[in-house]
Amino acid sequence: DAVIAAISNSLVYINTNNLAAKAFSLPAWHMQNNFIAALFKDSHSSIYASSNKDEKSFFRKQQGEKEFSEILVTNDSLFDIELPRYIMEDNKGHIWFAGHGLSRLDTQTGKFDYKLNNFPKLRVMRREVSSPVIDKTGKLYFGIQANGLVVYDMATKQFEHYSRSQGLPDNNIRGIYLHNNTLWLGTESGIASFDVVSKKISAYGIADNMPALPFTSYSFFYDSLSGKLYGAFGKEIVGFNPEKL
């Protein structure tokens, strides 16, 4: 009966019955200067948030708790990824933060145990990770600013790299969504799909009823009731069936 959202430089609790909103009391939070960069709820109903308040900390509210606690991560090079703008959960229940690289929080020990920020064979030396997703096998998929799509196999420690040279419409990827065995990629030059099995890349445009505009949202939304995937192109919101496109 409630939604937790990042609104106007704060985290708020919104009662969905009467739409009453109440701000959480975040430790040493300054409304004029601080903002929430990423917000994520895991499979155990714990909620994680990153902010510009301190790149060496994050906020967490576990199930049953009324307020967020600030978790300080000092003198830990494994969390040295600047401001995390994405948070996700892997198939083992561990939490990943993504900024200039990715860091994994072991939820059993409460400590960071893995960092990924050296990406070989990049055309442009950048580390800004965009819209990371992880599949059931633990394989990571994410964009790197100006470098296209990166695939990292945790088991083999091997990278794969896909760019315009392999058929992507653009090397700047803003949104990624994994649906069945297909990655949907929102780029600055439109939408593409990547078959994770065959590695085939397909681009879509006006002939496919897609706008001739850049993809501007930083995520996709999948409506399981209608079977449609939604994304934004400027002021336009487009929904499509990923099984039929």
Side-chain angles (χ1 to χ4, degrees), residues 191-210:
I191 280 183
S193 65
F194 175 80
D195 189 304
V196 300
V197 178
S198 68
K199 312 296 176 67
K200 178 183 177 182
I201 296 173
S202 302
Y204 304 92
I206 296 177
D208 307 291
N209 294 319
M210 288 293 173

Side-chain angles (χ1 to χ4, degrees), residues 1-8 10-24:
D1 295 330
V3 171
I4 293 177
I7 301 175
S8 300
S10 65
L11 278 173
V12 297
Y13 171 99
I14 303 173
N15 186 312
T16 56
N17 293 318
N18 57 20
L19 299 183
K22 179 182 178 181
F24 286 97

